Amino acid sequence: MNKESSVINKIFHKNGRAFGSMGYFIILMLIFLIGAPEAWLRPNLHQSVFVMMPTLIFLVIPLVFLVASGEIDLSFASTYALAAYIFAILVKSGIDPALAILAGVISGAVVGALVGALIVYGRLSSLVASLGVLFLLRGLILVLTQSRSITMMDELENHWVYHLLVGNFYGFPMQMLWALAFVIFSYYLFNKHVFGIHIHHVGDNYVSAEQMGINVKAVKIKTFMFVGLGAGIAGIFTTLITYSFFPTQGFGYLLLALAAVFVGGTPYWGGLGTIAGAVFGVGVIAYMEVGVIAVGMSGVWRQFFNGLIILLALLGHRLHGDRVR
């Protein structure tokens, strides 16, 4: 009996932040279920959330890597739009959508690597530098598009790529399956692969990591690159779903994605992170967006409750354990 309790305690101690995020998600679902049982039991409501969730997952999971390494990136919201723009103009010029997707994703990774190099080798604050890149890229997109959208329904509607990536599998959005595969891959990379181990060491103490022989600069650039990759995937999936590119797309996800990271149990000081918790964090933010309206409240309350849940989650995670270095 003692061994069993010891094993359970170890599991909870090791995964406390993930369990905490799961608890917030369950509490939120119960509140909305009690507040609007008829709306909450409709499959259409959850299906609409499943359409939105993969985009947040592609953005949030790589940010866990980056925050755990001790850095932050705000430019991903514009990288998201840039990758989608490259995809859209290639498709409109007659390039096969599959090749256009590859080009868009690569462009996101390249931008992420450049942002990382700028911060690492320029010795700039990641918060301030990425904020500058955020506005720089967004301004470039607005200039190139003259603030006009690009529609691709004729080019995408009957293409196999559309059905494979964002079609329906017995009524279930395909993008959820791709998001699940991305989460599984990221979980292995973060917790089992040497890259994830290096991220933990770098975020915990980069001086000690350097003394251990870890190439801290390379690790951080690769992490920024992964954020750009995820942003590129998210932007292209959104463009596929709507058949359209909008110059302003992605901007609305900036604060939501960051909120999901911290609600998901990844602390801001680095060295720690949880992929499973981030998924529940995404669930909290995604359902908050529709839950407030479902219970009959005005949409203007969404930001208030988003802020409230973020503060409560941060306090809960902070009380879970002492700051780790």
Side-chain angles (χ1 to χ4, degrees), residues 17-18 20-22 24-25 52-53 55-64 67 72 76 252-267 273-289 306-307 309-311 313-314 317:
R17 292 180 178 275
S21 300
M22 182 176 68
Y24 301 137
F25 177 73
M52 172 191 176
M53 277 186 69
T55 299
L56 267 175
I57 286 173
F58 291 131
L59 292 172
V60 169
I61 298 300
L63 284 171
V64 172
V67 174
I72 193 67
F76 69 86
Y253 284 114
L254 176 60
L255 298 181
L256 293 179
L258 292 173
V261 172
F262 297 121
V263 171
T266 297
T274 165
I275 301 299
V279 174
F280 286 111
V282 168
V284 169
I285 299 301
Y287 272 100
M288 182 69 75
E289 291 293 293
N306 277 334
I309 196 70
I310 291 168
L311 292 175
L314 289 174
H317 290 309

Side-chain angles (χ1 to χ4, degrees), residues 152-182:
M152 298 158 284
M153 180 173 286
D154 294 337
E155 291 84 358
L156 296 175
E157 190 173 20
N158 297 314
H159 197 278
W160 63 268
V161 163
Y162 174 85
H163 298 288
L164 177 65
L165 297 182
V166 296
N168 286 320
F169 183 73
Y170 294 101
F172 192 77
M174 282 294 295
Q175 56 265 38
M176 279 297 291
L177 299 179
W178 290 107
L180 176 62
F182 187 74

Side-chain angles (χ1 to χ4, degrees), residues 82-95:
L82 181 65
Y85 172 67
I86 289 173
F87 166 72
I89 59 173
L90 289 178
V91 169
K92 291 300 287 185
S93 65
I95 302 296

Side-chain angles (χ1 to χ4, degrees), residues 23-85:
Y24 301 137
F25 177 73
I26 292 172
I27 292 171
L28 184 71
M29 295 292 283
L30 287 174
I31 291 172
F32 287 145
L33 177 61
I34 294 169
E38 293 182 1
W40 216 245
L41 294 175
R42 291 177 186 169
N44 290 343
L45 182 143
H46 300 284
Q47 192 163 11
S48 66
V49 174
F50 291 159
V51 171
M52 172 191 176
M53 277 186 69
T55 299
L56 267 175
I57 286 173
F58 291 131
L59 292 172
V60 169
I61 298 300
L63 284 171
V64 172
F65 285 69
L66 188 62
V67 174
S69 75
E71 302 289 350
I72 193 67
D73 184 7
L74 302 181
S75 67
F76 69 86
S78 290
T79 305
Y80 171 113
L82 181 65
Y85 172 67

